[in-house]
Amino acid sequence: MLAGSTEISKIPGISAAGENSELTFLTPVLDSEIIYSGKCISYDVIPMTENGIPTPSIITRAANLVSGVDILIVDAGFYESPKIPYLHTKLGPANDPRKQEALTKYDVAVETGRYIGRMLDKKYKYIVLAESVPGGTTTAYMVLRSLGYDYMTSSSMKSGPDQLKRKVADEAFQRYKPVNNAMDSMIQYGDYMMALATGISGAVRNSTIMYAGGTQMACVYLLDKIINKSHEKRYIFTTGYIINDRGDLLSDIAGGNIIYAKTNFSGIQGLDYYEQGYVKEGTGFGAAFGIAYVINKNENLIYDEIKKVYNSFL
């Protein structure tokens, strides 16, 4: 999982990934600890939004336990270090593109991604790239819009802050006018998850890459397609919630290269918010659930494990 922060997430109302906008910087740290260890180590907190909606990393953790997949946490701009093994990059959070260039360490991020890609290629038939980047749907919106894709991205909120995203993008475009160049757009408006992911894909020649996520990963899929040219064996693996919410965006960018998991959390208190339109994606939980099902062919086993992990925090 590529986990990190962007200064964009600290804008009030942009993200629900944390109890408040200031704490969004800690969400990738806690998500990483949950996925790796099953608990919050750095802070003794219950991983929920201010409305009591659990982080999707609980689902990802449970599904990974069922499937037994190998996990690597990569620093895509951590504000502080999680207390688990992870690949440290020293990138730091992405800047606020309204004020300055977002990715001042873009070259380092891409080269780090290529290094990771060379390590993983051939060793695994499938490489699944997930993300935990609060505010990332806004950076994705800015990058997509700068490249001529004027689709609104999804949100972890039931009713997304669409007008606020447009306002932020307009202000960023006033600082630096878009030039319809994928690399330039990423540098000016993006986040380090994007740069790492495109670097990884650029070095992978044999394995199949699954971009595990929603509209953020649709943005990465597009950047990969433009920058790395070859786009064989590349897919977006998402949730049914995203298909219902922004399926037009995904299909326009990825065509038929879309896979999604059908989940139903209506029987799990707390997670039942997902059925009402909250969260929709995050930490690659759609792909994690789908892979667990493909391996075990037993939905009840996955749901039971999700309940166990969730109840461990209550």
Side-chain angles (χ1 to χ4, degrees), residues 95-302:
N95 298 318
D96 184 339
R98 300 173 302 172
K99 303 173 182 177
Q100 64 185 110
E101 182 179 280
L103 305 185
T104 53
K105 298 179 182 177
Y106 171 80
D107 290 339
V108 174
V110 171
E111 189 49 48
T112 302
R114 288 178 181 146
Y115 172 74
I116 296 168
R118 289 191 294 269
M119 280 199 305
L120 298 178
D121 196 24
K122 292 185 182 179
K123 295 180 179 66
Y124 297 92
K125 184 176 181 180
Y126 299 102
I127 299 170
V128 182
L129 299 181
E131 59 75 29
S132 174
V133 184
T137 60
T138 301
T139 55
Y141 170 70
M142 286 188 281
V143 171
L144 288 169
R145 185 172 147 189
S146 71
L147 295 173
Y149 288 79
D150 197 9
Y151 287 97
M152 182 48 62
T153 50
S154 289
S155 170
S156 53
M157 306 173 196
K158 185 173 183 178
S159 298
D162 297 354
Q163 292 303 318
L164 181 55
K165 287 182 180 180
R166 292 188 182 97
K167 181 176 181 291
V168 170
D170 289 343
E171 291 174 1
F173 295 164
Q174 285 178 7
R175 179 192 64 80
Y176 187 91
K177 185 177 179 180
V179 294
N180 198 24
N181 177 283
M183 188 181 301
D184 193 56
S185 292
M186 205 184 332
I187 292 169
Q188 295 300 328
Y189 317 117
D191 56 62
Y192 284 116
M193 181 276 291
M194 300 175 183
L196 283 165
T198 53
I200 291 169
S201 183
V204 170
R205 295 288 181 267
N206 300 280
S207 303
T208 295
I209 291 182
M210 301 283 191
Y211 290 116
T215 49
Q216 287 173 256
M217 285 314 196
C219 179
V220 174
Y221 184 101
L222 176 66
L223 291 168
D224 180 18
K225 186 175 182 179
I226 296 171
I227 293 171
N228 296 321
K229 308 302 182 185
S230 174
H231 217 65
E232 296 179 357
K233 297 195 288 188
R234 301 292 185 268
Y235 298 87
I236 298 173
F237 203 148
T238 189
T239 66
Y241 310 120
I242 288 291
I243 296 298
N244 292 334
D245 186 50
R246 305 293 179 189
D248 54 345
L249 166 58
L250 269 64
S251 61
D252 193 3
I253 289 175
N257 289 3
I258 302 168
I259 307 165
Y260 68 95
K262 281 187 167 183
T263 55
N264 188 330
F265 301 113
S266 58
I268 307 175
Q269 187 175 2
L271 289 174
D272 55 4
Y273 279 105
Y274 287 38
E275 301 304 316
Q276 301 173 36
Y278 294 93
V279 183
K280 304 179 189 72
E281 244 294 0
T283 68
F285 85 81
F289 189 100
I291 291 167
Y293 178 74
V294 168
I295 291 174
N296 290 276
K297 300 292 190 298
N298 188 338
E299 279 192 351
N300 291 332
L301 177 64
I302 306 170

